[in-house]
Amino acid sequence: MALVPIRLPPGIYRAGTAYQSKGRWHDGNLVRFIAGTIQPVGGWRSKAALPSDPGKARAILTWTANNSTAWTAIGTHARLFAMTRGGTVSDITPDGFTAGRADAQAAGGYGGGAYGEDEYGVPRPDTSQVQEASMWSLDSWGEKLIGVMAQDGIIYEWALDPDEPAAAVENAPSAAALLVTQEGILMALAAELNPRRVKWSDQRDNTVWTPDATNQAGDFDLQTNGRLLQGLKVRGGNILLTDLGAWLASYTGDELVYRFDKLADGCGAVSRGAAIAIDAQAVWMGANNFWLYNGFVAPLPCEVWDHVFADINRQQLSKVTCELSAAFGEVTWRYPSGGSLEIDRFVTWSFRENHWTIGSMARLCGIDAGVMQYPLRVDAAGAVHEHEVGYAYDGVMPFLEGGPLELGNGDSIAYAQALLPDDRTLGEVSASFRIKFEPDGEETSFGPYTLARRTDLRFGGRQIKIRFDGVANAPWRIGEPRLELVTGGLR
């Protein structure tokens, strides 16, 4: 008889078959690993609701005005909203704004594009394989909000008056995305209908765009076959991502103002919201991989690669959004699974501990706490939720399931006699087990068991899987439980 600790490495492993995940955690939802313990993520509660028929939210930004008022901007495919700290929502959609697409569409030929977009009987231009779902690019210009949507192309600014809509920035070029650099310069990405053009304003004056000897305005066409999607501020420069690669824009302050260096090809972003900066680093989702910039660009190894990229709706990749959780050292991507038109899953990378978790959640976009007390996330109906508050999950409960556990080379039969939990508070988590005698054999389930200090068990097999389910809306913790096992032959 032996006490065998369930000492599995943190993170979930889904790169291959279920048997290949032996000795690892294989599945889960709404859990995280911190400093050797397993715990549920925080729950959520309603914060506000966007007005009726708001469109699909694809971008969110929080910032603080000069008088310390906190603001949140939420951009949907159809409108633009501003929200106060207390949850009061104002529609600040610019007059004449051209609404975008809620969903990505197959492009080219007859039937492409929105109804009425072109003349009847004229085939749509075959500009890309898929016409992307529409996403705002948002930033702050001083205390003001600034933003653009590619399908509309006009750069707008909002001066914090809830009764006044955002208005076009005087003299600004058309753009598909934007970035306010660390030097206080506004960059228009894919400017003037050129998907490779970067055009920028004078320093601290976003109405001056014509270069001369008295200002720092300018432009540059990247030597790339890709199209600019997103810009990010990182310590030491500005990362510009196309759908094919990555560039670094470095401020020089001389007559050229910026220097543009290609970082890598073949590492393009999947959407206008797929990347995020972490101090001097940047990380993003590509079409078939995750990428990390840390002075140079390299693939980010992902132990749930199979789970994500083998079951993702590739036509709707332009909906992918990304958010940071500084408190927990996490980056989370939200994406639509293969059978879903809308975002229904997430994958999280712990950049402090370098492991991955997965889960299901119908949130389209989100932003970290900081300006607001809690992280904010928006669902498909336009409801704004505060997250990481309490432990209520709208009826869904966190769980974590391990891959197969074996003794030796897997040729011994282990008979479980008891489970000795290592929980902070007994009764907040249940345990269940599934056993097999061979990887493709029949599976038998036992439990769930309400855990006591010693929980008696009576089953055996060559492979044992354990699953923990939260049964209380509480901040439970799991450390290193142990199984009391004996070995033997078939009875």
Side-chain angles (χ1 to χ4, degrees):
M1 185 178 298
L3 288 176
V4 178
I6 303 174
R7 190 184 297 134
L8 308 186
I12 291 175
Y13 182 88
R14 291 289 288 269
T17 67
Y19 184 70
Q20 287 178 302
S21 66
K22 62 182 178 181
R24 300 291 305 272
W25 297 107
H26 178 71
D27 199 6
N29 191 30
L30 303 176
V31 296
R32 59 169 49 108
F33 302 81
I34 296 181
T37 65
I38 302 161
Q39 57 185 272
V41 304
W44 54 82
R45 67 187 179 194
S46 177
K47 171 74 172 179
L50 303 182
S52 60
D53 195 23
K56 302 299 184 185
R58 304 288 181 209
I60 183 170
L61 176 75
T62 57
W63 78 104
T64 304
N66 293 343
N67 63 1
S68 298
T69 301
W71 289 99
T72 300
I74 300 170
T76 75
H77 81 277
R79 295 155 81 179
L80 182 63
F81 301 95
M83 185 179 73
T84 65
R85 187 189 301 274
T88 300
V89 178
S90 300
D91 189 334
I92 59 168
T93 307
D95 295 334
F97 169 73
T98 301
R101 285 180 289 271
D103 305 310
Q105 301 171 354
Y110 294 98
Y115 179 79
E117 196 171 70
D118 292 291
E119 293 185 12
Y120 179 78
V122 177
R124 281 35 169 183
D126 191 9
T127 55
S128 63
Q129 291 183 338
V130 174
Q131 292 179 329
E132 65 189 30
S134 298
M135 183 178 293
W136 282 86
S137 178
L138 301 174
D139 211 331
S140 57
W141 178 261
E143 69 170 349
K144 298 177 182 179
L145 171 70
I146 199 157
V148 67
M149 180 190 287
Q151 288 70 27
D152 177 71
I154 299 173
I155 298 176
Y156 298 102
E157 187 176 77
W158 181 63
L160 310 186
D161 185 347
D163 296 323
E164 291 293 328
V169 173
E170 184 180 354
N171 302 325
S174 65
L178 57 77
L179 168 67
V180 178
T181 72
Q182 299 170 97
E183 300 78 39
I185 290 174
L186 175 58
M187 278 189 172
L189 307 182
E192 300 171 326
L193 302 180
N194 184 332
R196 293 168 286 279
R197 179 164 297 162
V198 184
K199 192 174 179 72
W200 59 91
S201 72
D202 191 14
Q203 192 172 35
R204 299 185 180 87
D205 190 344
N206 63 12
T207 66
V208 175
W209 294 82
T210 302
D212 65 30
T214 65
N215 66 49
Q216 296 195 67
D219 61 77
F220 186 85
D221 289 356
L222 302 180
Q223 298 304 302
T224 175
N225 293 324
R227 56 192 180 95
L228 281 158
L229 295 181
Q230 188 178 5
L232 298 167
K233 294 183 282 287
V234 297
R235 180 157 45 87
N238 304 280
I239 302 296
L240 305 180
L241 294 175
T242 75
D243 57 343
L244 297 180
W247 291 70
L248 179 66
S250 305
Y251 181 70
T252 62
D254 58 19
E255 61 181 10
L256 297 178
V257 186
Y258 283 97
R259 168 180 169 174
F260 295 85
D261 296 295
K262 181 188 288 186
L263 294 172
D265 280 325
C267 60
V270 296
S271 77
R272 301 185 185 278
I276 204 159
I278 313 169
D279 194 20
Q281 302 181 93
V283 63
W284 62 94
M285 179 190 279
N288 291 290
N289 214 336
F290 294 97
W291 298 92
L292 175 68
Y293 168 79
N294 188 12
F296 58 92
V297 175
L300 177 61
C302 176
E303 294 191 327
V304 293
W305 185 94
D306 233 11
H307 174 80
V308 176
F309 292 104
D311 187 17
I312 192 170
N313 188 334
R314 295 196 167 273
Q315 183 165 310
Q316 302 300 324
L317 285 176
S318 55
K319 295 178 179 178
V320 169
T321 58
C322 181
E323 67 192 79
L324 175 71
S325 174
F328 297 103
E330 298 170 346
V331 176
T332 294
W333 288 269
R334 304 187 182 280
Y335 66 96
S337 63
S340 176
L341 182 65
E342 196 48 271
I343 290 175
D344 60 343
R345 284 188 184 169
F346 67 87
V347 55
T348 297
W349 174 51
S350 170
F351 58 85
R352 288 187 189 148
E353 299 190 4
N354 194 26
H355 52 69
W356 296 79
T357 52
I358 57 176
S360 300
M361 186 184 294
R363 299 288 186 268
L364 307 191
C365 60
I367 195 163
D368 198 9
V371 174
M372 298 297 176
Q373 184 177 3
Y374 299 103
L376 299 178
R377 294 167 190 162
V378 189
D379 67 20
V384 184
H385 304 270
E386 292 179 321
H387 278 249
E388 301 293 348
V389 53
Y391 294 91
Y393 310 93
D394 290 339
V396 179
M397 296 301 287
F399 79 90
L400 183 64
E401 182 175 302
L405 299 174
E406 296 179 332
L407 293 180
N409 295 322
D411 52 359
S412 299
I413 297 176
Y415 291 96
Q417 305 290 306
L419 173 68
L420 280 65
D422 181 19
D423 297 3
R424 184 166 73 175
T425 305
L426 289 174
E428 296 177 345
V429 176
S430 69
S432 54
F433 299 86
R434 289 185 289 167
I435 66 163
K436 286 184 177 182
F437 286 90
E438 55 187 45
D440 294 325
E442 183 179 349
E443 192 169 66
T444 305
S445 298
F446 296 86
Y449 297 92
T450 301
L451 299 184
R453 291 180 61 186
R454 174 191 169 92
T455 304
D456 290 333
L457 307 173
R458 290 292 182 271
F459 56 80
R462 289 193 177 94
Q463 298 173 23
I464 299 175
K465 294 181 183 179
I466 187 169
R467 171 174 167 139
F468 294 106
D469 286 89
V471 294
N473 293 328
W476 48 262
R477 299 289 187 272
I478 298 173
E480 191 174 290
R482 292 171 294 169
L483 277 174
E484 186 178 285
L485 300 175
V486 296
T487 59
L490 291 173
R491 296 175 179 171

